[in-house]
């Protein structure tokens, strides 16, 4: 979708009395959607899913972008303390059960936000994974909420062109070889033969955290 189409759709939602929100990981490619939203409505809440495992650079970058774009950023954290996020052997869950770790720190907190909002503006792109390629621009989520995917038909080249046009900053870890950046324990540098999402949960047979599988109605 183009800027004017996204703007028109958001204005349509608001005219219908819909309560909007978005989530962001504050990776370089995520800034395109955030910048677009800042041009349309800076009051839309931006939920940063603060798992407690982010790189310090990500948290610093979040604060910088929030100030630069004038965003309404809200930290979203799990209600389950880290000392309760351990397996039977006492190890933190990301070492033995990353799916449950993601559920407690990402999916469950976001699920609660769906209860109080009507439209989740989400920046997934079809070229990122097979799961995302099967999505539609607009589709139902849990609790009667609607997922709106305005970037679904964008590709890496279009993202790069927008970044260049508006001189958007890049995540500080990108120049160090990190492309897909999530929680520090489950993120590695991208090798030349790897696809973008393969740098996450490497060797764990996992490419999604649950936000785009559990919180969507197919």
């Amino acid at each position: 979708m183009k800027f004017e189409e996204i703007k028109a759709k958001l204005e349509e939602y608001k005219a219908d009395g819909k309560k909007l929100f978005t989530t962001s990981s504050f990776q370089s490619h995520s800034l395109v959607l955030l910048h677009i939203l800042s041009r349309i409505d800076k009051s839309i809440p931006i939920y940063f899913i603060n798992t407690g495992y982010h790189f310090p650079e990500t948290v610093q970058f979040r604060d910088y972008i929030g100030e630069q774009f004038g965003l309404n950023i809200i930290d979203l954290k799990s209600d389950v303390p880290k000392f309760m996020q351990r397996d039977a052997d006492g190890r933190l869950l990301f070492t033995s059960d990353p799916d449950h770790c993601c559920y407690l720190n990402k999916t469950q907190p976001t699920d609660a936000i769906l209860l109080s909002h009507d439209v989740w503006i989400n920046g997934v792109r079809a070229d990122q994974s097979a799961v995302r390629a099967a999505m539609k621009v607009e589709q139902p989520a849990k609790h009667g909420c609607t997922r709106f995917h305005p970037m679904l038909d964008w590709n890496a080249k279009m993202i790069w062109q927008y970044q260049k046009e508006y001189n958007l900053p890049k995540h500080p870890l990108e120049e160090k070889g990190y492309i897909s950046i999530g929680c520090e324990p489950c993120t590695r540098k991208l090798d030349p033969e790897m696809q973008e999402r393969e740098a996450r949960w490497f060797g764990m047979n996992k490419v999604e955290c649950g936000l785009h599988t559990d919180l969507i109605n197919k």
Side-chain angles (χ1 to χ4, degrees):
M1 299 181 72
K2 297 179 180 179
F3 174 81
E4 291 301 328
E5 292 175 310
I6 297 172
K7 182 180 179 181
K9 190 62 180 177
L10 295 185
E11 289 177 346
E12 178 185 321
Y13 285 138
K14 288 189 289 182
D16 289 339
K18 304 291 187 182
K19 191 173 181 182
L20 315 178
F21 81 101
T22 189
T23 53
S24 182
S25 59
F26 287 86
Q27 300 182 63
S28 296
H29 64 79
S30 306
L31 300 194
V32 173
L33 178 58
L34 295 183
H35 189 262
I36 288 173
L37 294 180
S38 76
R39 295 167 59 195
I40 298 172
D41 184 354
K42 294 181 187 293
S43 70
I44 294 174
I46 317 290
Y47 284 94
F48 174 69
I49 305 173
N50 195 339
T51 63
Y53 293 121
H54 285 290
F55 289 92
E57 290 89 343
T58 297
V59 177
Q60 293 166 5
F61 192 55
R62 172 206 63 189
D63 294 342
Y64 172 74
I65 294 302
E67 184 176 336
Q68 291 296 307
F69 292 5
L71 301 175
N72 175 24
I73 299 175
I74 302 171
D75 250 21
L76 185 61
K77 298 181 179 180
S78 174
D79 290 332
V80 182
K82 290 294 184 289
F83 75 87
M84 294 180 64
Q85 296 186 26
R86 297 179 181 274
D87 62 19
D89 297 319
R91 298 177 300 175
L92 286 167
L93 289 174
F94 66 77
T95 66
S96 59
D97 192 348
D99 283 335
H100 194 48
C101 185
C102 285
Y103 173 76
L104 292 177
N105 292 295
K106 293 184 177 183
T107 308
Q108 193 175 57
T110 306
D111 186 292
I113 301 302
L114 298 183
L115 284 166
S116 57
H117 292 77
D118 303 299
V119 179
W120 180 5
I121 308 164
N122 199 292
V124 295
R125 304 197 321 264
D127 68 345
Q128 291 176 315
S129 72
V131 168
R132 301 175 189 205
M135 293 181 176
K136 299 175 182 177
V137 171
E138 190 179 55
Q139 63 188 99
K142 294 180 66 176
H143 312 306
C145 195
T146 296
R147 288 179 61 121
F148 174 47
H149 304 139
M151 316 293 293
L152 195 64
D153 62 347
W154 286 51
N155 55 39
K157 182 179 180 180
M158 295 167 68
I159 294 292
W160 178 82
Q161 289 173 332
Y162 189 100
Q163 291 171 324
K164 184 178 181 181
E165 179 180 356
Y166 290 96
N167 194 29
L168 300 186
K170 292 185 177 181
H171 192 293
L173 289 178
E174 199 167 298
E175 63 182 18
K176 297 181 180 179
Y178 293 91
I179 302 300
S180 182
I181 305 166
C183 295
E184 188 170 2
C186 301
T187 300
R188 61 170 288 174
K189 295 180 181 180
L190 193 70
D191 292 334
E193 70 277 6
M194 293 166 61
Q195 296 294 318
E196 179 181 321
R197 297 287 299 177
E198 290 180 312
R200 305 277 289 279
W201 306 289
F202 184 75
M204 298 181 182
N205 192 31
K206 176 178 169 68
V207 294
E208 294 284 354
C209 63
L211 294 176
H212 310 310
T213 51
D214 297 345
L215 298 184
I216 193 165
N217 293 339
K218 300 180 180 66

